[in-house]
Amino acid sequence: MQLLFCPICGTKAYFHNLICPCGADLYFDPEQGQFRTDGPACANRERIACNWVGERGLCRSCLMSPTIPPLSVEGNLELLAGAERGKRWVLANLARWGWFTDADADPGPRPQFLMLSERTGQQDDVRVMMGHQNGIITINVVEADDEIRFHRKNRLGERYRSMVGHFRHEIAHFLFERLEVTPGFLPAFRPVFGDETQDYGAALARHYAAPRDPGEEFITPYATAHPHEDWAETCAHFLHLVDMTDSFMASGLMAPQVPSKDYDAYADPDSTRLFQIASVVALAVNDINRALDNPDLYPFVLTPRIRQKLSFAHDWVTRPR
């Protein structure tokens, strides 16, 4: 995430800030990618601490969530706030390539989010499966609880699990729907990821019955399940790597083989160079975590085959529509 500042006093501000220490109210403008002080406020500003500029009462991000969990149930308000916070972060990243921005710049459809909770207020909680279907993305807001998410991460044997990661994965499925109608996309996709028309339900059943080792071809075990999941996992990691590199550069940090502070990971058209730089950044931040006796921040290996897939995602997601 790029550096943000208060327009009044110039103090550094963080993406989720509602107010500057100087007293100015802060409103994030997703079109400009920077803070304003003149609003108008999103109608959810007080309820879930949404600091985005309102468009039709709600902001651009909140308008994409027509369904929210029952807020009268204890804990759901805080869970929704945490989940929406992650969604705004991902949408702001994607806006730097023009996705879901002003309708004149991106006239295509927007995803719609079903923000559901396992906590219904009934005696037994319900199971909520995250997923995407026909432009509708289901998000389980319970995973905004760090303790619950950590427990599930360990139970499933995953290296990484976060709300931002969930949004990046599910939005990647939506991006596929937008891209598959683009001339040339599917003929280029299939030699890299495989035939996406194969039976999805049967493929998932095989995966859960006997998970495959990702080896050097897939970024995660789940990516082995089906070409759609390989794309979504790969695309999510492409977004992880670009944003991690961008944040590293915005912080003014330096490392061998990392270019000057003016380097913009979101604007680099050379995917080979970008992922080489991202690899160096990943190693650097992993070393910092190890110095504190913490797990690696980015515990994945970018093999040549995985880099090929990452480059494919980069080249299609970043091109003008």
Side-chain angles (χ1 to χ4, degrees), residues 184 264 309 313:
D264 185 350
K309 294 178 179 181

Side-chain angles (χ1 to χ4, degrees), residues 74-147:
E74 183 179 0
N76 277 349
L77 179 61
E78 292 76 14
L79 293 170
L80 177 64
E84 288 287 349
R85 175 183 174 126
K87 173 155 70 77
R88 291 194 299 273
W89 183 277
V90 176
L91 291 176
N93 293 163
L94 288 167
R96 294 178 70 176
W97 292 307
W99 286 101
F100 318 132
T101 53
D102 182 86
D104 292 333
D106 180 14
R110 270 73 169 146
Q112 295 294 294
F113 294 87
L114 303 182
M115 307 295 280
L116 305 181
S117 174
E118 296 172 3
R119 300 175 182 175
T120 63
Q122 305 301 315
Q123 184 174 1
D124 296 320
D125 289 339
V126 299
R127 187 182 184 192
V128 176
M129 293 292 293
M130 298 204 205
H132 166 270
Q133 187 173 21
N134 300 324
I136 307 296
I137 293 173
T138 299
I139 294 293
N140 182 3
V141 302
V142 164
E143 292 231 5
D145 184 306
D146 292 339
E147 185 175 349

Side-chain angles (χ1 to χ4, degrees), residues 145-220:
D145 184 306
D146 292 339
E147 185 175 349
I148 290 174
R149 194 175 60 254
F150 180 78
H151 173 75
R152 293 178 181 180
K153 171 179 174 289
N154 289 340
R155 176 167 55 83
L156 295 169
E158 296 177 341
R159 295 181 177 182
Y160 171 83
R161 191 178 184 93
S162 73
M163 284 306 302
V164 164
H166 287 315
F167 280 108
R168 285 176 174 158
H169 176 98
E170 301 304 342
I171 290 176
H173 284 301
F174 182 85
L175 296 180
F176 181 91
E177 284 194 354
R178 288 277 304 266
L179 290 168
E180 68 176 334
V181 299
T182 305
F185 177 78
L186 288 178
F189 175 89
R190 287 167 182 159
V192 178
F193 291 93
D195 181 6
E196 84 291 350
T197 65
Q198 63 180 275
D199 189 291
Y200 180 78
L204 282 191
R206 288 193 300 270
H207 168 73
Y208 288 118
R212 294 168 54 192
D213 187 292
E216 296 190 355
E217 186 172 354
F218 301 94
I219 190 71
T220 64

